[in-house]
Amino acid sequence: MSITAPEVRAIGLSNHGPELLERARRIAPVDAVQPPLSLLNRSAEPEIDWAAGHGTGVIAYQPLHSGLLTGAFTRQRLETLDPSDWRRTHPDFTTDLDANLRTADRLRTLAREHGTTAGAVAIAWVLARRGVTGAIAGARRPDRTADWERAAHLELTAGELEFVAGE
């Protein structure tokens, strides 16, 4: 069965590259894409650029990178995780952990200057990216959701964006 434009009112896609987005656009306008984006995972920037060029909304997920960018994650915390926790074997939390913790340190430094949290700065960085219209952040506890509101009101300068990105 083939799909024709009159049968499709809106398209929202997650984790599709520019080539697939372009194919979908030929069927009907792509209204939104949902890629991962954080200071540690910028692999979706081609999709975000595509969306910005086509008037497509971008709702980025995982801006806190599974808790690594909250400012609360440490090597000691990794050692206390349940043995079955996927983070115990993932490169972001093992071989790349030291570099990733340095990024979290930069977030904490900038957060202190703004009187906020590292998590709020991490989310604000994602929201400041060209083409991003929203971010999906997760929290394990209700008190962690305060970062979301702080991030929505936090405006970072170009220099601050570069600083936390390590550029």
Side-chain angles (χ1 to χ4, degrees):
M1 175 170 107
S2 66
I3 298 174
T4 61
E7 296 169 359
V8 178
R9 287 186 273 167
I11 295 177
L13 298 168
S14 182
N15 302 320
H16 286 67
E19 183 180 314
L20 288 176
L21 293 171
E22 194 58 38
R23 286 178 59 197
R25 187 186 67 78
R26 288 188 211 117
I27 297 169
V30 177
D31 295 302
V33 296
Q34 185 179 325
L37 180 65
S38 75
L39 280 159
L40 303 178
N41 180 2
R42 302 179 204 176
S43 63
E45 286 183 341
E47 294 84 35
I48 294 167
D49 289 342
W50 182 94
H54 288 84
T56 298
V58 175
I59 305 167
Y61 69 88
Q62 214 174 31
L64 298 173
H65 209 84
S66 299
L68 194 50
L69 298 177
T70 62
F73 203 91
T74 64
R75 184 168 290 286
Q76 293 75 22
R77 170 122 190 269
L78 176 67
E79 293 167 5
T80 66
L81 293 175
D82 186 273
S84 65
D85 192 305
W86 64 270
R87 293 174 290 183
R88 282 186 154 280
T89 58
H90 193 280
D92 288 344
F93 294 85
T94 57
T95 55
D96 299 338
L97 184 61
D98 290 335
N100 293 340
L101 290 176
R102 285 192 295 276
T103 299
D105 286 341
R106 289 193 303 274
L107 288 167
R108 275 195 296 276
T109 297
L110 189 55
R112 278 191 299 274
E113 292 176 18
H114 281 275
T116 191
T117 64
V121 175
I123 296 168
W125 181 89
V126 167
L127 292 173
R129 303 302 287 179
R130 176 183 172 267
V132 173
T133 52
I136 300 170
R140 292 186 186 263
R141 299 190 329 241
D143 62 316
R144 300 292 172 125
T145 62
D147 286 348
W148 305 347
E149 182 180 357
R150 291 180 189 122
H153 301 287
L154 183 57
E155 291 188 34
L156 302 175
T157 68
E160 291 172 331
L161 291 169
E162 290 173 4
F163 169 73
V164 295
E167 298 170 354

